[in-house]
Amino acid sequence: MERKIGIRSIGIKMLLGILPVVALALALLTRISESTSRSLIEQQSNSTMQSELKANVNSINDSLNVVKTTAMDIAHMVGASYRTTQIDTYGTAITNIIEKNDLILGSGIWFEPNVYDPQQKYMGPYWHKANGKTELTYEYNTAEYDYFNQEYYKLAASSTKDAIITDPYFDPTLNTTMASCTAPVYDPSGKFIGAVTVDMQLSDINELIQSIKVGKNGTAMLTSADGAYLCGTDQEKITNGVNISQDENGSLAAAGAQMISSDKGTVTYDEGNETYNLYYDKVPEIGWIIMIKMPQSELEEPIVALNNKLIQVSVIALVCCIAAVLLQVGTIASGLKKVKKFAGALAEGDFTVQPLKSRSRDELGQMSGSLNNMFHSNKAVIEQISEQAGDITDASVRLNTVSGDLLQQFSEIKVYMGDVDKAMMSSSAATEEVNASMAEVNSSVSVLAEETGKSSKMAGEIMERARVIEKNSREAYESAFEISKEREQDLMMAVENAKVVEKIGDMARVISNTASQINLLSLNASIEAVRAGEQGRGFAVVAREIGRLAKDTSEIVKEIEDTITEVQRAFAMMMNGSESMLKFLKDTVTPDYNNFVDVGQQYGRDAVSIEEISNEIAEMANNISQVMQEVRDAIQNVSESVQTTAGNSNMVLTTVEKAYEVVTDMSKMSEKQERIAEELNTVVSGFKLK
């Protein structure tokens, strides 16, 4: 249960560590995309609107230039020929001009007092369209009208030989909005002799303004230089000459005042619940303001759609990220669970477990291989120690038995020697018995010496195996330490190499910006191709292909950026897993190797102790053998001379007592060796080998 909770905690920690970063990155990406898209759309909208405005301004300006050229031509013609030319002749030429140009509504020649006819103060023939034909009228040759004080005449009188277009106005008689182009008339000497007017109706311009449609709801308006409505709005406002800077909508009035004070640009105003952008430009020389009204909601539709798609993609990316993290955590946790279980069994001394099975070549697989090597080598050594520990136990038991028998025999010898001291003269038979006992004691001492040699040899073998265990454990410890150090260096190098991905992201953004600029240039080229007409069709095809290429480039760059994001996320997951594995290697595996080194060292110290005890027992056995030889010699001397033996019986008794003490010490050492053997057997029995 604890392991399951631990696995879940690893997954939760990774999710809590990765998901906020991913969510923040996606939110930041969404915000950047929105900001970039908004900026690009604004730039493209401004460019498109300004191009549209420029095209229509040029169209209006071309129409006005035709009218101005016509007025100047008539003025030059009148100035050069007014003394010799009849009014009807002028009428023929002007009628021809009016009928060929639908924009021109009428034209008049307004002479200075008594210039054309010395008898006429007012001489102002006016030709205009009426009932499908051009008619001549003199109804303006009256003192009531007094054309000398009309604006168009004053403008001509004050002009420097250039044609001037008056501000448009609504003519209730003709029920149309119109403007007059006035040109001064000078005689060959340079004297001002009158003015020529060409009146133009704004119906064609109004149709042009009304035909401008941008997007779904983008419409156009036209005002005079001072802001009076001319086209594109309520007819009532046009008829009443309402000024945009005085519109009942205060927001529109403020925007209109700003447009009047500048040449071109963009302003915004509110109407109801909608905010509108006004893109405007002015017709050169006359200053008429043409503007395109576009709802901001329509401009933001692509941004809203993009945001919705980005949110959907972000949600899908988060779900995929969660699934990937849980999958990776499950894989890593499964491997770590096996390693933990295997290492726990080894730590408890259970060598009956099966080796780890891992086909991976990553750090986890290498660690599993190292643990398997340690398992096999240590199991073999411990099996040998276990076998030798049993032999040492058996030898110690036999040694203890022999020592007990020897001690008992020396006790009997001591008693016998006391009897010899009391009655040496009658101890002939006892002497033979003692001699036999000495032979048996000598044989037991030989057996003891032989068993002690075996114990010393076994101790040497144990010490050699302990050195092998210590060496193997230390090599495994150093190998694990080197592996963790190398993997840590590789991890740091991988972090440095990951910065290449960021550089690729920077280059992708540069390519994306370049594609946006190419797309913008393609749009401008398309507009110029349309303006060029038939001659620009081929160039328009090229511009569309360039635009399509720029779009494809932007989409590819988008895919590159998405791929970079996935690579960075996968690399972060790999770093977290590697760090967890290195931590486990340092905190769990390395201390286990140290424990094996300590066990090997302890085996070595125990072997040294056994060898020292065995050496001491061997030395004592040699001493006993020498003593026994002396006893045998003494018994022989007793048999030769009982009297001499009786005198030396005290000395023999003393020697026997010393031998008894030596045998007692040997018995204690034997017991100690048996306890050491039992402890070694207990230690080895802690390992499960079968």
Side-chain angles (χ1 to χ4, degrees):
M1 186 65 183
E2 293 180 355
R3 292 178 180 176
K4 292 182 179 179
I5 293 175
I7 295 173
R8 291 197 188 101
S9 65
I10 292 175
I12 292 173
K13 288 180 179 178
M14 292 188 69
L15 288 175
L16 293 178
I18 294 174
L19 288 184
V21 177
V22 175
L24 180 61
L26 291 174
L28 183 60
L29 178 63
T30 302
R31 181 60 180 169
I32 292 174
S33 299
E34 178 185 359
S35 177
T36 303
S37 301
R38 188 181 300 277
S39 177
L40 290 175
I41 289 175
E42 288 180 356
Q43 293 178 3
Q44 187 172 359
S45 298
N46 288 333
S47 177
T48 302
M49 295 302 179
Q50 292 299 330
S51 298
E52 184 72 20
L53 288 171
K54 194 66 178 177
N56 287 281
V57 165
N58 291 335
S59 178
I60 294 174
N61 195 48
D62 291 342
S63 299
L64 296 179
N65 285 334
V66 171
V67 174
K68 291 173 66 175
T69 301
T70 301
M72 291 297 295
D73 291 343
I74 296 174
H76 291 156
M77 177 184 66
V78 172
S81 61
Y82 74 96
R83 295 183 185 275
T84 60
T85 303
Q86 298 295 323
I87 295 298
D88 292 340
T89 303
Y90 291 137
T92 301
I94 292 175
T95 298
N96 188 37
I97 292 173
I98 292 174
E99 290 178 352
K100 288 183 178 181
N101 196 327
D102 295 335
L103 183 63
I104 298 176
L105 184 63
S107 177
I109 303 174
W110 316 95
F111 288 100
E112 281 280 272
N114 311 113
V115 170
Y116 185 80
D117 185 353
Q119 304 298 323
Q120 294 289 335
K121 177 180 179 181
Y122 297 101
M123 176 55 69
Y126 182 75
W127 293 266
H128 64 94
K129 293 178 180 178
N131 299 322
K133 61 180 181 179
T134 302
E135 295 181 355
L136 171 64
T137 180
Y138 287 95
E139 63 178 330
Y140 299 106
N141 291 350
T142 62
E144 288 78 16
Y145 182 71
D146 191 14
Y147 63 78
F148 300 117
N149 291 315
Q150 297 297 323
E151 179 184 6
Y152 61 84
Y153 196 87
K154 292 180 179 180
L155 288 173
S158 61
S159 175
T160 58
K161 298 184 179 181
D162 290 329
I164 300 175
I165 297 177
T166 65
D167 289 336
Y169 56 92
F170 181 76
D171 190 335
T173 302
L174 300 177
N175 193 27
T176 184
T177 301
M178 56 188 299
S180 297
C181 178
T182 179
V185 180
Y186 295 92
D187 63 9
S189 65
K191 178 182 178 182
F192 177 75
I193 62 172
V196 171
T197 60
V198 177
D199 296 330
M200 53 184 172
Q201 58 182 353
L202 299 185
S203 58
D204 291 342
I205 296 177
N206 187 30
E207 291 177 0
L208 175 64
I209 296 300
Q210 292 179 351
S211 67
I212 298 175
K213 297 292 183 182
V214 181
K216 299 178 181 178
N217 302 303
T219 58
M221 292 190 299
L222 180 68
T223 67
S224 63
D226 60 357
Y229 287 113
L230 300 179
C231 303
T233 187
D234 295 341
Q235 186 62 38
E236 183 179 354
K237 293 182 179 180
I238 298 173
T239 303
N240 296 331
V242 176
N243 194 293
I244 191 172
S245 62
Q246 298 174 353
D247 195 277
E248 59 184 4
N249 185 339
S251 178
L252 177 59
Q258 184 176 350
M259 288 190 297
I260 294 172
S261 61
S262 58
D263 292 335
K264 62 181 179 179
T266 305
V267 294
T268 61
Y269 76 95
D270 297 327
E271 184 175 341
N273 296 325
E274 183 64 81
T275 300
Y276 292 88
N277 286 355
L278 279 178
Y279 303 90
Y280 64 94
D281 198 355
K282 290 186 177 182
V283 179
E285 297 183 12
I286 61 175
W288 292 358
I289 304 173
I290 181 173
M291 64 196 77
I292 296 177
K293 180 177 69 173
M294 176 65 70
Q296 281 191 356
S297 59
E298 182 176 342
L299 295 175
E300 292 181 354
E301 284 181 0
I303 299 175
V304 174
L306 176 62
N307 283 340
N308 292 334
K309 291 181 179 179
L310 287 175
I311 292 173
Q312 294 174 0
V313 171
S314 299
V315 172
I316 295 173
L318 285 175
V319 172
C320 294
C321 180
I322 293 173
V325 168
L326 293 178
L327 179 62
Q328 292 296 326
V329 168
T331 302
I332 295 173
S334 177
L336 292 177
K337 181 180 178 181
K338 295 179 181 178
V339 172
K340 182 179 179 182
K341 181 179 180 181
F342 182 73
L346 295 183
E348 294 174 356
D350 185 4
F351 281 82
T352 61
V353 296
Q354 294 297 323
L356 293 173
K357 296 181 180 180
S358 177
R359 298 180 180 179
S360 63
R361 298 182 179 179
D362 56 8
E363 288 80 358
L364 188 60
Q366 295 176 3
M367 182 176 64
S368 299
S370 299
L371 287 175
N372 286 336
N373 294 334
M374 180 194 71
F375 166 73
H376 291 301
S377 61
N378 290 342
K379 182 177 180 180
V381 172
I382 293 173
E383 285 177 347
Q384 294 179 0
I385 293 175
S386 178
E387 294 174 359
Q388 297 299 328
D391 295 338
I392 292 174
T393 301
D394 294 339
S396 299
V397 171
R398 290 196 300 270
L399 180 62
N400 192 21
T401 301
V402 171
S403 298
D405 294 341
L406 187 61
L407 183 62
Q408 183 179 0
Q409 291 174 4
F410 267 95
S411 298
E412 293 177 355
I413 290 172
K414 185 177 180 181
V415 173
Y416 293 155
M417 289 306 298
D419 294 339
V420 169
D421 187 54
K422 295 178 180 178
M424 185 59 66
M425 295 302 297
S426 60
S427 61
S428 177
T431 301
E432 293 297 330
E433 185 178 355
V434 170
N435 191 19
S437 298
M438 290 298 103
E440 185 177 356
V441 169
N442 193 22
S443 177
S444 297
V445 170
S446 299
V447 173
L448 176 61
E450 183 180 355
E451 294 297 329
T452 304
K454 291 181 179 180
S455 297
S456 178
K457 183 178 179 181
M458 290 179 184
E461 292 176 356
I462 291 173
M463 185 167 58
E464 180 64 26
R465 293 189 185 97
R467 282 196 297 270
V468 172
I469 291 175
E470 181 182 357
K471 179 181 178 182
N472 292 337
S473 298
R474 191 174 300 279
E475 289 177 354
Y477 168 77
E478 293 175 354
S479 175
F481 181 77
E482 288 296 327
I483 289 174
S484 64
K485 185 177 180 181
E486 290 175 0
R487 294 302 169 267
E488 187 173 5
Q489 292 176 353
D490 293 341
L491 184 60
M492 296 302 295
M493 186 177 296
V495 172
E496 292 296 325
N497 292 337
K499 295 180 180 178
V500 176
V501 179
E502 297 178 359
K503 295 181 180 179
I504 295 175
D506 295 336
M507 289 188 287
R509 285 189 287 274
V510 173
I511 295 174
S512 178
N513 293 333
T514 304
S516 299
Q517 294 296 325
I518 293 175
N519 191 21
L520 184 59
L521 292 175
S522 171
L523 179 61
N524 291 333
S526 298
I527 294 173
E528 292 296 333
V530 171
R531 187 178 300 162
E534 184 68 25
Q535 291 78 6
R537 286 186 177 179
F539 188 62
V541 173
V542 175
R544 285 194 299 272
E545 291 300 324
I546 292 174
R548 188 178 299 109
L549 178 60
K551 181 179 179 182
D552 294 341
T553 303
S554 299
E555 294 176 353
I556 293 172
V557 170
K558 176 82 167 46
E559 295 178 359
I560 292 173
E561 291 176 346
D562 293 341
T563 303
I564 290 171
T565 302
E566 293 297 329
V567 170
Q568 290 176 338
R569 180 164 56 251
F571 186 78
M573 292 168 57
M574 181 190 71
M575 285 180 59
N576 292 334
S578 300
E579 289 175 355
S580 299
M581 186 192 66
L582 290 175
K583 182 178 179 183
F584 173 78
L585 190 62
K586 291 180 178 179
D587 297 343
T588 303
V589 176
T590 303
D592 290 341
Y593 282 130
N594 282 330
N595 292 334
F596 280 113
V597 173
D598 294 338
V599 171
Q601 292 176 349
Q602 182 64 40
Y603 287 163
R605 288 193 294 270
D606 293 342
V608 171
S609 299
I610 294 173
E611 185 177 16
E612 291 177 353
I613 293 172
S614 299
N615 291 333
E616 291 178 359
I617 294 172
E619 184 178 356
M620 292 178 182
N622 291 329
N623 292 334
I624 293 172
S625 179
Q626 293 176 2
V627 171
M628 291 299 100
Q629 185 63 38
E630 292 176 358
V631 171
R632 291 183 65 186
D633 292 341
I635 292 173
Q636 288 178 359
N637 290 331
V638 168
S639 63
E640 292 175 357
S641 178
V642 175
Q643 294 297 328
T644 304
T645 301
N648 296 327
S649 61
N650 290 330
M651 184 181 296
V652 172
L653 183 60
T654 302
T655 302
V656 170
E657 289 178 351
K658 291 181 178 179
Y660 180 78
E661 292 177 356
V662 172
V663 172
T664 302
D665 292 339
M666 185 181 68
S667 178
K668 293 179 179 179
M669 291 180 183
S670 177
E671 292 177 356
K672 182 178 180 181
Q673 181 178 356
E674 185 177 2
R675 287 195 303 271
I676 293 173
E678 290 177 354
E679 292 176 356
L680 180 61
N681 194 25
T682 301
V683 172
V684 173
S685 65
F687 295 95
K688 298 178 181 179
L689 301 175
K690 296 182 180 179

